[in-house]
Amino acid sequence: MHDTGPTSQTFISQRLRLNYLDWGGRGKPPLVLVHGGRDHARSWDWTAEALREDYHVIAMDHRGHGDSDWVSDGVYSAGEMVYDLAQLVHQLGVGPVRMVAHSMGGNVALRYAGAFPDMVTKLVAIEGLGPSPEWREKQRSQPYPERLAEWIEKKRKAAGRSPRKYESIEAAFARMIEENAYLTEEQARHLTVHGVNRNEDGTYSWKFDPHLNVWPVEDIGDEFIEALWGAIRCPTLLLYGADSWASNPEKDGRIAHFKTASVIEFEKAGHWLHHDQFDRFIATLRDFL
Protein backbone atom coordinates (compact mmCIF):
# COMPACT_ATOMS: atom_id res chain seq x y z
CA MET A 1 0.00 0.00 0.00
CA HIS A 2 0.97 3.67 -0.30
CA ASP A 3 2.91 5.27 2.53
CA THR A 4 0.02 7.69 3.03
CA GLY A 5 -3.50 6.46 3.54
CA PRO A 6 -6.78 8.32 3.33
CA THR A 7 -7.82 11.36 5.33
CA SER A 8 -10.84 10.96 7.60
CA GLN A 9 -13.53 13.59 7.06
CA THR A 10 -17.06 14.22 8.30
CA PHE A 11 -20.34 15.52 6.90
CA ILE A 12 -23.72 16.17 8.49
CA SER A 13 -26.88 14.28 7.53
CA GLN A 14 -30.11 14.59 9.53
CA ARG A 15 -28.11 15.92 12.48
CA LEU A 16 -25.79 12.91 12.43
CA ARG A 17 -22.05 13.33 12.05
CA LEU A 18 -21.03 10.78 9.44
CA ASN A 19 -17.52 9.75 8.50
CA TYR A 20 -15.94 9.27 5.11
CA LEU A 21 -12.46 8.54 3.83
CA ASP A 22 -10.93 10.66 1.10
CA TRP A 23 -8.11 9.02 -0.77
CA GLY A 24 -7.10 12.22 -2.57
CA GLY A 25 -6.89 12.88 -6.26
CA ARG A 26 -9.28 15.83 -6.63
CA GLY A 27 -9.75 16.61 -10.28
CA LYS A 28 -9.85 12.94 -11.21
CA PRO A 29 -13.18 11.21 -11.90
CA PRO A 30 -14.95 10.73 -8.54
CA LEU A 31 -15.54 7.15 -7.36
CA VAL A 32 -17.74 6.55 -4.31
CA LEU A 33 -17.42 3.23 -2.43
CA VAL A 34 -20.37 2.14 -0.28
CA HIS A 35 -19.91 -0.71 2.23
CA GLY A 36 -22.42 -3.30 3.40
CA GLY A 37 -24.21 -3.97 6.67
CA ARG A 38 -22.16 -4.27 9.89
CA ASP A 39 -19.06 -3.41 7.87
CA HIS A 40 -17.06 -0.18 7.54
CA ALA A 41 -15.34 2.06 4.98
CA ARG A 42 -11.89 0.54 5.62
CA SER A 43 -13.22 -2.66 4.06
CA TRP A 44 -12.55 -0.90 0.74
CA ASP A 45 -8.88 -0.10 1.42
CA TRP A 46 -7.51 -2.61 -1.09
CA THR A 47 -9.93 -1.44 -3.77
CA ALA A 48 -9.11 2.21 -3.07
CA GLU A 49 -5.38 1.55 -3.25
CA ALA A 50 -5.77 -0.19 -6.60
CA LEU A 51 -7.86 2.61 -8.14
CA ARG A 52 -6.62 5.82 -6.48
CA GLU A 53 -4.19 6.64 -9.28
CA ASP A 54 -7.07 6.89 -11.75
CA TYR A 55 -9.96 8.12 -9.58
CA HIS A 56 -10.76 10.45 -6.71
CA VAL A 57 -11.82 7.69 -4.30
CA ILE A 58 -14.25 8.39 -1.46
CA ALA A 59 -15.50 5.69 0.94
CA MET A 60 -18.27 6.44 3.43
CA ASP A 61 -19.24 4.94 6.79
CA HIS A 62 -23.01 4.44 6.94
CA ARG A 63 -24.88 5.73 9.97
CA GLY A 64 -24.42 3.25 12.81
CA HIS A 65 -21.24 1.86 11.24
CA GLY A 66 -17.52 2.49 11.45
CA ASP A 67 -16.72 5.96 12.77
CA SER A 68 -20.15 7.45 12.00
CA ASP A 69 -22.76 8.31 14.63
CA TRP A 70 -25.37 5.83 15.80
CA VAL A 71 -29.00 6.94 15.55
CA SER A 72 -30.60 7.82 18.88
CA ASP A 73 -33.69 5.61 18.42
CA GLY A 74 -31.90 2.52 17.11
CA VAL A 75 -34.10 2.40 13.99
CA TYR A 76 -32.28 2.08 10.66
CA SER A 77 -33.88 2.06 7.22
CA ALA A 78 -32.59 1.96 3.66
CA GLY A 79 -34.43 5.20 2.91
CA GLU A 80 -32.46 7.13 5.53
CA MET A 81 -29.24 5.70 4.17
CA VAL A 82 -30.15 6.78 0.64
CA TYR A 83 -30.54 10.28 2.06
CA ASP A 84 -27.08 10.03 3.63
CA LEU A 85 -25.52 8.98 0.35
CA ALA A 86 -27.31 11.81 -1.45
CA GLN A 87 -26.01 14.24 1.16
CA LEU A 88 -22.44 13.01 0.76
CA VAL A 89 -22.46 13.52 -3.00
CA HIS A 90 -24.29 16.86 -2.66
CA GLN A 91 -22.00 18.30 0.02
CA LEU A 92 -18.83 17.20 -1.73
CA GLY A 93 -20.06 18.76 -4.96
CA VAL A 94 -18.35 16.00 -6.97
CA GLY A 95 -21.26 14.63 -9.01
CA PRO A 96 -21.94 12.93 -11.27
CA VAL A 97 -20.02 9.97 -9.83
CA ARG A 98 -19.14 6.35 -10.38
CA MET A 99 -20.22 4.03 -7.57
CA VAL A 100 -19.15 0.62 -6.32
CA ALA A 101 -21.26 -0.79 -3.49
CA HIS A 102 -21.68 -4.01 -1.53
CA SER A 103 -24.74 -5.79 -0.09
CA MET A 104 -26.80 -3.31 1.97
CA GLY A 105 -24.70 -0.54 0.44
CA GLY A 106 -25.53 -1.90 -3.00
CA ASN A 107 -29.23 -1.74 -2.14
CA VAL A 108 -28.76 1.91 -1.13
CA ALA A 109 -26.68 2.81 -4.20
CA LEU A 110 -29.19 1.24 -6.60
CA ARG A 111 -32.01 3.28 -5.05
CA TYR A 112 -29.92 6.45 -5.26
CA ALA A 113 -29.12 5.80 -8.92
CA GLY A 114 -32.81 5.31 -9.67
CA ALA A 115 -33.84 8.48 -7.85
CA PHE A 116 -30.98 10.56 -9.29
CA PRO A 117 -30.15 8.92 -12.62
CA ASP A 118 -28.16 11.96 -13.81
CA MET A 119 -25.83 11.75 -10.80
CA VAL A 120 -24.38 8.27 -11.48
CA THR A 121 -22.37 7.46 -14.61
CA LYS A 122 -21.39 3.84 -13.79
CA LEU A 123 -22.65 1.57 -11.03
CA VAL A 124 -21.34 -1.73 -9.67
CA ALA A 125 -23.52 -3.45 -7.05
CA ILE A 126 -22.14 -6.54 -5.33
CA GLU A 127 -25.09 -8.69 -4.22
CA GLY A 128 -27.11 -5.53 -3.60
CA LEU A 129 -30.67 -6.40 -4.60
CA GLY A 130 -31.74 -7.53 -1.16
CA PRO A 131 -33.91 -10.56 -0.30
CA SER A 132 -34.84 -12.86 -3.16
CA PRO A 133 -38.44 -13.23 -4.35
CA GLU A 134 -38.49 -16.71 -2.82
CA TRP A 135 -37.32 -15.41 0.56
CA ARG A 136 -39.87 -12.59 0.51
CA GLU A 137 -42.69 -15.00 -0.30
CA LYS A 138 -41.69 -17.24 2.60
CA GLN A 139 -41.44 -14.26 4.95
CA ARG A 140 -44.83 -12.90 3.94
CA SER A 141 -46.51 -16.27 4.42
CA GLN A 142 -46.48 -15.35 8.12
CA PRO A 143 -49.27 -12.86 8.94
CA TYR A 144 -48.08 -9.28 9.25
CA PRO A 145 -49.47 -8.80 12.80
CA GLU A 146 -47.33 -11.72 14.00
CA ARG A 147 -44.23 -10.35 12.29
CA LEU A 148 -44.79 -6.92 13.80
CA ALA A 149 -45.15 -8.40 17.30
CA GLU A 150 -41.92 -10.37 16.80
CA TRP A 151 -40.13 -7.23 15.61
CA ILE A 152 -41.19 -5.33 18.74
CA GLU A 153 -39.87 -8.14 20.94
CA LYS A 154 -36.57 -8.24 19.06
CA LYS A 155 -36.17 -4.45 19.30
CA ARG A 156 -36.89 -4.59 23.03
CA LYS A 157 -34.15 -7.19 23.46
CA ALA A 158 -31.75 -5.19 21.29
CA ALA A 159 -32.37 -2.11 23.44
CA GLY A 160 -31.15 -4.01 26.49
CA ARG A 161 -28.18 -5.60 24.77
CA SER A 162 -24.70 -4.15 25.18
CA PRO A 163 -22.15 -4.51 22.37
CA ARG A 164 -20.41 -7.87 22.61
CA LYS A 165 -17.02 -7.63 24.27
CA TYR A 166 -13.90 -9.57 23.26
CA GLU A 167 -11.11 -10.03 25.76
CA SER A 168 -8.47 -9.44 23.10
CA ILE A 169 -8.19 -8.26 19.54
CA GLU A 170 -7.12 -11.82 18.71
CA ALA A 171 -10.53 -13.05 19.85
CA ALA A 172 -12.24 -10.52 17.59
CA PHE A 173 -9.93 -11.58 14.75
CA ALA A 174 -10.96 -15.22 15.27
CA ARG A 175 -14.62 -14.19 14.97
CA MET A 176 -13.84 -12.38 11.71
CA ILE A 177 -12.23 -15.51 10.26
CA GLU A 178 -15.21 -17.56 11.41
CA GLU A 179 -17.59 -15.20 9.57
CA ASN A 180 -15.77 -15.52 6.23
CA ALA A 181 -13.42 -18.45 5.73
CA TYR A 182 -12.34 -17.06 2.33
CA LEU A 183 -10.45 -14.18 3.97
CA THR A 184 -6.68 -14.31 4.16
CA GLU A 185 -5.13 -13.70 7.57
CA GLU A 186 -3.91 -10.30 6.38
CA GLN A 187 -7.39 -9.29 5.21
CA ALA A 188 -9.06 -10.48 8.41
CA ARG A 189 -6.58 -8.63 10.64
CA HIS A 190 -6.99 -5.41 8.68
CA LEU A 191 -10.79 -5.59 8.83
CA THR A 192 -10.67 -6.39 12.55
CA VAL A 193 -8.25 -3.62 13.53
CA HIS A 194 -10.36 -1.01 11.74
CA GLY A 195 -13.67 -2.57 12.76
CA VAL A 196 -13.35 -2.47 16.57
CA ASN A 197 -13.15 0.07 19.36
CA ARG A 198 -11.25 -0.54 22.57
CA ASN A 199 -13.48 -0.20 25.60
CA GLU A 200 -12.52 1.51 28.83
CA ASP A 201 -12.04 -1.85 30.55
CA GLY A 202 -9.54 -2.96 27.88
CA THR A 203 -11.89 -5.23 25.96
CA TYR A 204 -12.82 -4.76 22.30
CA SER A 205 -16.22 -4.34 20.64
CA TRP A 206 -17.33 -4.01 17.03
CA LYS A 207 -18.04 -0.44 15.98
CA PHE A 208 -21.48 -1.09 14.49
CA ASP A 209 -24.68 -0.45 16.46
CA PRO A 210 -26.20 -3.70 17.84
CA HIS A 211 -29.61 -2.43 16.67
CA LEU A 212 -28.45 -3.15 13.11
CA ASN A 213 -29.24 -6.79 13.83
CA VAL A 214 -32.97 -5.95 13.76
CA TRP A 215 -34.35 -4.49 10.53
CA PRO A 216 -37.87 -3.11 9.97
CA VAL A 217 -40.63 -5.65 9.35
CA GLU A 218 -41.24 -4.39 5.82
CA ASP A 219 -39.27 -2.19 3.46
CA ILE A 220 -40.92 -0.21 0.66
CA GLY A 221 -43.34 -2.11 -1.59
CA ASP A 222 -41.93 -4.35 -4.31
CA GLU A 223 -43.40 -2.15 -7.03
CA PHE A 224 -41.51 0.86 -5.69
CA ILE A 225 -38.09 -0.80 -5.51
CA GLU A 226 -38.65 -2.26 -8.98
CA ALA A 227 -39.55 1.22 -10.26
CA LEU A 228 -36.27 2.55 -8.85
CA TRP A 229 -34.30 -0.22 -10.56
CA GLY A 230 -36.08 0.53 -13.81
CA ALA A 231 -35.25 4.23 -13.55
CA ILE A 232 -31.49 3.63 -13.51
CA ARG A 233 -30.01 4.88 -16.78
CA CYS A 234 -26.28 4.36 -16.31
CA PRO A 235 -24.46 1.13 -17.24
CA THR A 236 -24.87 -1.17 -14.25
CA LEU A 237 -22.97 -4.30 -13.27
CA LEU A 238 -24.46 -6.75 -10.76
CA LEU A 239 -21.83 -9.07 -9.26
CA TYR A 240 -22.58 -12.33 -7.47
CA GLY A 241 -20.50 -15.03 -5.74
CA ALA A 242 -21.26 -18.59 -6.86
CA ASP A 243 -20.91 -19.81 -3.26
CA SER A 244 -22.97 -17.01 -1.68
CA TRP A 245 -26.37 -17.30 -0.04
CA ALA A 246 -27.56 -14.37 -2.18
CA SER A 247 -29.89 -15.07 -5.10
CA ASN A 248 -28.57 -14.35 -8.59
CA PRO A 249 -31.05 -11.98 -10.37
CA GLU A 250 -30.53 -13.72 -13.71
CA LYS A 251 -31.83 -16.90 -12.14
CA ASP A 252 -34.65 -15.46 -10.02
CA GLY A 253 -36.00 -13.06 -12.67
CA ARG A 254 -35.20 -9.71 -11.04
CA ILE A 255 -32.85 -8.71 -13.87
CA ALA A 256 -36.00 -8.05 -15.94
CA HIS A 257 -36.62 -4.89 -13.92
CA PHE A 258 -33.36 -3.29 -15.12
CA LYS A 259 -32.81 -1.57 -18.45
CA THR A 260 -29.01 -1.25 -18.45
CA ALA A 261 -27.75 -4.02 -16.15
CA SER A 262 -25.76 -7.18 -16.68
CA VAL A 263 -24.71 -9.91 -14.24
CA ILE A 264 -21.34 -11.56 -13.65
CA GLU A 265 -20.99 -14.52 -11.29
CA PHE A 266 -17.64 -15.18 -9.59
CA GLU A 267 -16.55 -18.76 -9.02
CA LYS A 268 -15.01 -19.67 -5.65
CA ALA A 269 -16.46 -16.58 -4.02
CA GLY A 270 -19.06 -15.92 -1.36
CA HIS A 271 -20.94 -12.80 -0.33
CA TRP A 272 -17.75 -10.71 0.01
CA LEU A 273 -16.46 -11.51 -3.47
CA HIS A 274 -14.47 -8.26 -3.57
CA HIS A 275 -12.29 -9.85 -0.88
CA ASP A 276 -12.61 -13.48 -1.95
CA GLN A 277 -11.56 -12.93 -5.58
CA PHE A 278 -9.82 -9.57 -5.34
CA ASP A 279 -7.65 -9.73 -8.46
CA ARG A 280 -10.55 -10.72 -10.70
CA PHE A 281 -12.76 -8.14 -9.02
CA ILE A 282 -10.29 -5.30 -9.68
CA ALA A 283 -9.78 -6.41 -13.28
CA THR A 284 -13.57 -6.42 -13.74
CA LEU A 285 -13.81 -2.91 -12.26
CA ARG A 286 -11.05 -1.54 -14.48
CA ASP A 287 -12.73 -2.92 -17.60
CA PHE A 288 -16.15 -1.61 -16.62
CA LEU A 289 -15.45 1.78 -15.02
Side-chain angles (χ1 to χ4, degrees):
M1 287 190 174
H2 285 66
D3 293 334
T4 56
T7 59
S8 183
Q9 308 286 343
T10 59
F11 70 104
I12 304 299
S13 181
Q14 294 182 319
R15 300 184 180 179
L16 296 178
R17 186 174 296 276
L18 304 184
N19 183 68
Y20 69 94
L21 305 174
D22 192 321
W23 288 83
R26 283 195 171 272
K28 297 175 182 177
L31 173 62
V32 176
L33 307 177
V34 190
H35 70 77
R38 297 184 296 175
D39 206 342
H40 50 81
R42 299 306 299 256
S43 182
W44 293 113
D45 280 5
W46 297 278
T47 300
E49 282 285 351
L51 299 177
R52 66 184 300 185
E53 296 300 329
D54 300 314
Y55 299 97
H56 176 198
V57 181
I58 299 156
M60 68 177 291
D61 276 325
H62 285 292
R63 57 176 60 202
H65 295 76
D67 295 319
S68 288
D69 285 349
W70 294 6
V71 299
S72 60
D73 61 4
V75 177
Y76 294 89
S77 72
E80 306 297 334
M81 293 180 177
V82 174
Y83 182 87
D84 296 338
L85 180 56
Q87 279 299 97
L88 173 67
V89 176
H90 175 72
Q91 292 191 23
L92 289 174
V94 296
V97 303
R98 292 167 171 81
M99 282 189 182
V100 178
H102 173 235
S103 193
M104 179 196 76
N107 196 319
V108 170
L110 288 164
R111 297 181 194 210
Y112 175 81
F116 300 96
D118 294 334
M119 294 300 292
V120 185
T121 57
K122 296 281 185 72
L123 175 59
V124 178
I126 306 166
E127 306 204 347
L129 270 64
S132 69
E134 181 182 3
W135 188 91
R136 284 191 179 278
E137 183 179 353
K138 180 179 179 181
Q139 178 194 44
R140 290 168 179 166
S141 65
Q142 181 183 12
Y144 182 85
E146 293 180 12
R147 287 191 285 146
L148 180 59
E150 287 183 3
W151 177 82
I152 290 173
E153 184 62 27
K154 289 177 181 178
K155 289 297 292 184
R156 187 175 291 133
K157 290 181 180 178
R161 186 184 303 127
S162 298
R164 181 177 177 179
K165 293 184 175 183
Y166 297 86
E167 289 301 317
S168 67
I169 202 164
E170 288 299 320
F173 162 73
R175 180 68 184 92
M176 179 68 71
I177 286 288
E178 181 183 334
E179 181 70 16
N180 184 5
Y182 279 107
L183 290 174
T184 66
E185 182 172 323
E186 177 191 0
Q187 288 173 321
R189 288 193 181 280
H190 182 89
L191 294 172
T192 301
V193 167
H194 290 290
V196 296
N197 286 318
R198 193 166 195 184
N199 301 310
E200 188 174 356
D201 62 2
T203 61
Y204 295 84
S205 295
W206 301 114
K207 290 181 176 179
F208 64 82
D209 187 343
H211 276 279
L212 286 160
N213 291 310
V214 185
W215 286 91
V217 182
E218 279 286 344
D219 193 8
I220 61 174
D222 294 350
E223 67 271 27
F224 301 125
I225 189 67
E226 290 163 6
L228 284 168
W229 293 341
I232 297 171
R233 293 202 296 261
C234 68
T236 302
L237 197 57
L238 307 176
L239 305 183
Y240 279 78
D243 300 330
S244 175
W245 49 263
S247 177
N248 186 316
E250 277 190 328
K251 300 174 183 177
D252 64 31
R254 288 179 293 173
I255 191 65
H257 300 295
F258 291 83
K259 294 183 175 68
T260 61
S262 58
V263 178
I264 297 178
E265 188 171 271
F266 282 52
E267 295 295 328
K268 298 181 180 179
H271 186 54
W272 288 269
L273 64 85
H274 52 306
H275 297 324
D276 304 343
Q277 291 291 336
F278 177 74
D279 290 341
R280 184 186 173 191
F281 171 67
I282 290 298
T284 301
L285 287 191
R286 290 190 187 281
D287 289 343
F288 179 74
L289 297 176

